Amino acid sequence: MADIPSDAPEHCPGTASAQAGKSSACQGCPNQAACASGTPKAPDPAVEEIKQKMSAVKHKVLVLSGKGGVGKSTFSAHLAHGLAGDESKEIALLDVDICGPSIPRIMGLEGEQVHQSGSGWSPVYVEDNLAVMSIGFLLSSPDDAVIWRGPKKNGMIKQFLRDVDWGEVDYLIVDTPPGTSDEHLSVVQYLSGTHIDGAVLLTTPQEVSLQDVRKEIAFCRKVNLPIIGVVENMSGFVCPKCKNNSQIFPPTTGGAEKMCKELNIPLLGKVPLDPRIGKSCDEGKSFLSEVPESAATAAYRSIIHSIKEYCASHNLQTEMIE
């Protein structure tokens, strides 16, 4: 079987194939020139540099979704807000959704800019213990389109991980775009020399969303990325007045709960729909502090508690192995 690099695109012919670097699947791949020349690809020195930089970060959590529009960036933002509620912890939120950076708006940081210091790029702070980095801070306008091929996205993610001066951080939350493409391969590749706690997968109850999450699960297993668990977002609607629960998106095939049982993956929780979540995101505020009595806030806090417990136990297991 042909040797296929870990950061290869789908349908990669493999480095030993006569089509290496020449097939349509090779277009835009960072390995294309090396494969076409027949010269073995040298290890990327950035992996070691990022390993050194990330040694000051205790926990790294990736937030993934197979499909867009399931609330992944909203969840990433509120996971960061929830963790930052403990003022003794330092939290960082990295937005690697290169083409659709929504984190600056959700975090109330639109219009902010990144500054260069002697130790690298300085992230933008929401609170004293909550730092954020996004390509949105590098654009002249929120309406600017980022029209880049894979290698350029790859280079930007490398800079985010290697050149941002995060300092000592307890949790780094990485908000990724939908799917299993360049950005995901780059993040996993560059963090391969570090300790990644795992990934949280976001879905909604419908089968069309669950199908894509199954692909995300397959991706995680293929690249040896631990799965912390699945969050079912928009799981019913709890009326703020009468507290009645309605199914806006009926789980026709059993929803995330059934899928998790079948695939032996933890279900971290279900977050109900609440129109006030969208309002808080548009205004750049934390829903957790704006509407603390909401059923959705209770669900968020339970999920965040489970993630913290997982990270603590996973870190302990790693220390015992080492």
Side-chain angles (χ1 to χ4, degrees):
M1 185 176 176
D3 182 25
I4 298 178
S6 61
D7 59 343
E10 193 177 3
H11 308 306
C12 171
T15 56
S17 168
Q19 290 299 309
K22 301 170 186 175
S23 77
S24 59
C26 301
Q27 297 301 314
C29 175
N31 305 314
Q32 185 177 11
C35 290
S37 68
T39 306
K41 184 185 176 187
D44 190 335
V47 173
E48 183 59 34
E49 292 167 357
I50 289 167
K51 180 181 178 181
Q52 296 299 321
K53 174 73 77 171
M54 289 289 132
S55 63
V57 179
K58 289 182 184 176
H59 301 292
K60 304 165 198 74
V61 176
L62 274 58
V63 181
L64 309 175
S65 72
K67 182 173 288 299
V70 299
K72 173 184 49 54
S73 294
T74 299
F75 177 81
S76 299
H78 285 93
L79 172 57
H81 277 303
L83 292 170
D86 181 350
E87 294 181 2
S88 68
K89 304 295 183 185
E90 295 292 331
I91 313 301
L93 175 58
L94 173 60
D95 179 9
V96 298
D97 191 344
I98 304 298
C99 295
S102 53
I103 287 296
R105 178 61 181 260
I106 293 173
M107 301 300 285
L109 298 173
E110 260 191 340
E112 296 288 343
Q113 293 185 333
V114 173
H115 298 285
Q116 186 82 29
S117 70
S119 51
W121 284 349
S122 298
V124 179
Y125 282 82
V126 184
E127 307 285 349
D128 289 343
N129 66 332
L130 176 51
V132 180
M133 177 56 75
S134 169
I135 194 174
F137 300 140
L138 306 177
L139 304 178
S140 58
S141 162
D143 297 331
D144 282 357
V146 179
I147 309 171
W148 290 355
R149 291 188 185 275
K152 198 164 182 182
K153 293 180 182 178
N154 188 55
M156 178 55 68
I157 291 169
K158 182 193 298 186
Q159 279 192 276
F160 281 155
L161 294 172
R162 183 189 61 194
D163 299 339
V164 175
D165 181 21
W166 295 111
E168 295 282 337
V169 171
D170 292 285
Y171 290 92
L172 172 66
I173 311 302
V174 182
D175 179 39
T176 66
T180 55
S181 191
D182 295 302
E183 294 90 334
H184 310 81
L185 287 168
S186 295
V187 169
V188 173
Q189 176 193 355
Y190 287 132
L191 291 178
S192 60
T194 72
H195 164 75
I196 307 177
D197 288 82
V200 176
L201 310 182
L202 265 286
T203 185
T204 51
Q206 316 98 300
E207 178 58 27
V208 71
S209 180
L210 295 169
Q211 279 183 336
D212 287 339
V213 171
R214 292 187 185 96
K215 295 181 179 71
E216 202 76 53
I217 291 167
F219 166 82
C220 291
R221 288 174 171 169
K222 188 170 183 179
V223 300
N224 297 317
L225 176 62
I227 298 173
I228 298 174
V230 174
V231 173
E232 185 176 271
N233 207 15
M234 308 182 200
S235 182
F237 169 69
V238 179
C239 176
K241 293 185 178 179
C242 68
K243 308 301 179 186
N244 223 14
N245 196 329
S246 306
Q247 290 297 327
I248 307 297
F249 303 117
T252 53
T253 58
E257 189 168 357
K258 184 181 178 186
M259 180 194 73
C260 288
K261 284 180 181 176
E262 290 172 350
L263 299 176
N264 194 29
I265 292 172
L267 177 65
L268 296 174
K270 301 179 180 183
V271 181
L273 273 168
D274 191 320
R276 295 170 293 184
I277 296 176
K279 184 173 182 288
S280 295
C281 290
D282 283 346
E283 294 175 351
K285 298 176 181 176
S286 167
F287 173 76
L288 305 183
S289 56
E290 289 290 301
V291 196
E293 79 289 350
S294 165
T297 296
Y300 270 127
R301 295 207 180 279
S302 174
I303 292 165
I304 291 167
H305 178 72
S306 297
I307 293 170
K308 287 168 70 175
E309 285 195 327
Y310 171 91
C311 289
S313 63
H314 194 239
N315 200 49
L316 183 61
Q317 289 171 11
T318 304
E319 288 174 355
M320 289 174 68
I321 292 170
E322 292 173 351

